[in-house]
Amino acid sequence: MQGNIQKIFRHPLAGHFYKITVSVPNEEVPATGFPVLYILDGNAYGTMCEEILKLQWRRAEKTYISPMIIVSIGYELDEVFPALRVYDFTPSYPASSLPDKPDGTSWPAHGGAKEFLDLLEEEIQPFVTKQVSVDLNNQILFGHSLGGLFVLYVLFERPELFRNYLCCSPSIWWNDREILIHERKTCLFPNKKLYIAAEKVEKGDMFENSLMLYQRLKAHHPDFVSFTSPVGENHMSIVPAIFSEAMRFFYK
């Protein structure tokens, strides 16, 4: 099957709906199946990432990027960054300690990362594997900002779900950096790669927190992790700036 496949999933607890788009390459299926890239915040990044990859797999011998299935996980809403993402991408902790929002409004509902991860593992991934030939040992998860926080949460909690993790501008600061208490679990799962990128010009200590995590991981797993902070990029422009480099780190 080639082209785009769409499916609507209902969140089992929160009651909102996801729009999943599976883009299948118009290429010969590899013997092991296609690699798969799962994109969080599909409303914002699904089309962009798909076009970047399609352009480059035309010259895979130079770009090291071969045809892959692209799974965009978005919301059935017109908003690019709906408030629902805050709930889905943030872990639940006994106590909540959050800074004031810049616009003075209250934080939306949060703490639903486990439920969203359950949906990803138990419904979305099985749906994809039933539709197309997938290389189960060659899957990538990409997330930006709070999505980057969720990427770390998956890596630390259920690392077996993906081989490669692309974590851009992760909100490690969330709830006083409590995500880092799970960091130790990474050492139990070799043969994986983590790419971290963070800008220097935004608040929230994203650069400092990301660099600290990179340095700690690299000290014990030098081949596991890479870090970059491209000059002159901001919180939004960093995504297209680092995307191709990240893919080369995974596949070169």
Side-chain angles (χ1 to χ4, degrees), residues 32 34 36 129 134-139 160-163:
T32 57
F34 285 114
V36 187
T129 58
V134 169
D135 185 349
L136 296 176
N137 296 314
N138 193 356
Q139 301 187 87
E160 69 281 1
L161 293 186
F162 299 91
R163 189 180 86 180

Side-chain angles (χ1 to χ4, degrees), residues 23-37:
S23 178
V24 184
N26 185 20
E27 306 284 346
E28 183 178 352
V29 180
T32 57
F34 285 114
V36 187
L37 169 66

Side-chain angles (χ1 to χ4, degrees), residues 7-8 10 13 27 33 40 64 72 77 81-82 89 117 134 136 138 159 186 190 204 211 215-216 224 240 244 250-251:
K7 172 79 172 178
I8 303 298
R10 185 182 187 276
L13 296 179
E27 306 284 346
L40 304 176
Y64 302 98
S72 174
L77 296 166
F81 294 108
F89 296 160
L117 178 53
V134 169
L136 296 176
N138 193 356
T186 56
L211 180 61
Q215 290 172 335
R216 282 164 40 169
F224 162 71
S244 296
F250 295 144
Y251 291 118

Side-chain angles (χ1 to χ4, degrees), residues 30-129:
T32 57
F34 285 114
V36 187
L37 169 66
Y38 285 82
I39 301 171
L40 304 176
D41 278 320
N43 295 41
Y45 301 120
T47 299
M48 182 199 74
C49 293
E50 182 177 346
E51 293 304 318
I52 290 174
L53 292 175
K54 282 184 175 179
L55 181 66
Q56 295 189 71
W57 75 46
R58 292 168 61 91
R59 297 299 301 274
E61 75 281 1
K62 294 182 177 293
T63 65
Y64 302 98
I65 297 173
S66 59
M68 66 181 64
I69 295 165
I70 302 165
V71 181
S72 174
I73 305 175
Y75 297 89
E76 199 177 28
L77 296 166
D78 294 331
E79 300 168 81
V80 176
F81 294 108
L84 295 172
R85 66 191 291 274
V86 179
Y87 180 78
D88 288 331
F89 296 160
T90 56
S92 176
Y93 298 113
S96 180
S97 176
L98 300 174
D100 295 333
K101 291 187 68 179
D103 60 5
T105 61
S106 301
W107 284 97
H110 49 273
K114 180 185 182 301
E115 289 74 24
F116 181 59
L117 178 53
D118 288 343
L119 182 77
L120 177 60
E121 179 181 9
E122 298 169 9
E123 295 193 43
I124 297 176
Q125 283 188 311
F127 170 75
V128 174
T129 58

